[in-house]
Amino acid sequence: MVHPHRVLAAVATLATLASVAVAPAPASALAAVTVTVAAAEDVFISQGEPAKSFATATWLSVCGSSCGGTAAGQRQALLRFKVAGIPADAQDVKATLEVVSARTTDTTISAHPVTGTWSEAATTWNTRPAVGASTIGSHTGFTAGATAKLDLSSAVQADGTYAFALTGTSDTTTVLMSSRESGDRGPKLTVTYTPGTGEEQTDGPLPFTPASTAALRASGKKVFGHYFTPYPISLDNAAPENDYYARNYLKPEGESGKHAAYGGLLRDRPLGRAPIAADYALTDLKTEVKQAIAAGLDGFTVDILSVTSAHWTRVQNLIKAAEAVDPGFKIVLMPDTNGLASVDSATLASSIARLAASESVYRLADNRLVVAPFKAEGHTAAWWSDWMRTMETAHGIEVALVPVFLDFAKNRDAFASISYSFSNWGGRNPAANANLTTAITTAHNLGKLWMQPVSVQDERPNQGIFDEAGNTENLRATWKGAIDGKADWVQLTTWNDYSENTQFAPSGNAGWTYLDINAYYLTCYKLGCPKITHDVAYLTHRVQPVAAAPTYAQTKLMKLRGGSTAARDTVEVLSMLTAAGKVSVTVGGTTQTYDAPAGVSAKTFPLKAGTASATVTRNSATVAKVVSPYPITATPYVQDLHYRATSSGR
């Protein structure tokens, strides 16, 4: 059940899941406030006249791809608004786009986020910006001279500059007044809100007020967790103290001793739960979907290892779970060329086509099916090109290929002509993630989107290798690369690959801590960094020095991967504070103090045998305290290099 390269998981009890949701602040007694802003820039672009600028037109045209009966006549309108004056503690924020129609038409227009740069004066169809696949709001039916309204509340919740594209599917043109029309009937954005009371978020597991699922999804930037089917929440529906994980994966003698050489297959596991009735496998997958939604993810990239086995059944059930919980949570299909090495092109095409029938499987706005093969170079670009042709001719499905490479530099040019986006599997240590913007820029220069891998750590007992993550340094470095490089998508690697210890999912060794830290950076990536409203401290450390010898007779020990950041023995305090505070850190009976600034900061201390804790005080009052439940020892039973994590917020 072990795979040589794998990715992310999430597991928790329903009670733990419930604790993620932050209750909405009570409605304020203050009167609602309305702010209306006219479009700062607006223009339409025409596929039929791809090099022409319509910057002086007094109207905006929106039309589908068959506009006017032509094969390529699509028209889109681009709008930009600059919103100012909404306080940080505003509640019940609602944003409405108002457009005035110049014609009476029974058509529908939809608003999408614009993720690329553009200007009113210079933009043509040929130079148009990237447009997000998600629909923020829509309106059907237009009357000449009347105002039509689209609800854009999910995308506009605070001050900022917002850009939208208006698209349509009808071959009849929807004509709207532009800001250049003399009657002041151009597009307007009206924002209403209730002033806050100043008491909105003072407690909760996260150090900031989480954005709504709708607001996060309205962003054109997407975050997916890589789901690895060998490690669901439960393999046998037994009690966690005696289930398959406990009996066979976490013990050196498990599975008849086949993992004894490396001290057992796993060092961590999904959070356990009591046995449940009915279809426990599907129920558990629904739980994982809920966990991922609560953590802000847009969906899962699901590793397809087989088209016949239990892994195939889990892929199908994961899609069913997403359908049942929230079809807006998308599943990206990821055929794995390692696991599917013996599967021929026609069989893979028919299998993928069956999955693609679900509304939860991710498609672009133009209905292309997103397929992101893992280790895409396992087949040649010509093989994938033929496979995509089979998908279209035999199954009527056009594919947007997003190859995930193990070696991006070596394979990018060969795949450029057939790919919609690029990605790579990436490294799991700060040294490997020091110059992430280079690959992103290269992809963008080739006209491709980029899906950036974001990771916590990587320790593989069965392969005898580990990366030095440097506590949370690797996680922070990969997010910095995604944000600074303006990556279009992110893949968390992984959601639940416990054999490689790369999981973000709620687990025995970390609870929700890594997902909580991730939520902050995910919000920074999608919406801009949120205001810290609640003091939280996170503590991470290993339970043994790297060089400590196990007392169990392991014959295979993990060694540092070549090129990795140097191994280190440290306890890290990652603090997210509303204001500066004093931090006292105790490791193995030794206490040290330091002054932590407001905002996000990290500081490390030497690892020592014993226990670890940290307390944050301000004006002599304790504002955050975290005590690790994981003892540190110089004589571990088996070699265990997986970083534990604890939060003061839970």
Side-chain angles (χ1 to χ4, degrees), residues 52 67 86 88 257 261 288 301 337-338 405 445-446 485 490 530 539 549-550 598 618 636:
K52 182 175 180 178
C67 188
I86 302 175
E288 293 197 80
T301 54
T337 65
N338 285 334
F405 299 115
N445 288 342
L446 289 170
V490 160
L539 200 65
R618 186 180 303 117

Side-chain angles (χ1 to χ4, degrees), residues 119-139:
S119 68
E120 178 180 276
T123 301
T124 66
W125 182 267
N126 286 340
T127 62
R128 68 192 186 279
V131 175
S134 58
T135 297
I136 304 169
S138 60
H139 182 86

Side-chain angles (χ1 to χ4, degrees), residues 413-437:
D413 293 337
F415 279 76
S417 64
I418 64 170
S419 300
Y420 170 74
S421 176
F422 283 140
S423 184
N424 68 345
W425 195 237
R428 308 287 181 267
N429 64 82
N433 292 311
N435 298 296
L436 297 179
T437 59

Side-chain angles (χ1 to χ4, degrees), residues 589-614:
T590 300
T591 299
Q592 301 180 62
T593 63
Y594 70 98
D595 294 323
V600 181
S601 69
K603 191 171 180 64
T604 59
F605 301 86
L607 186 77
K608 296 181 180 180
T611 59
S613 64

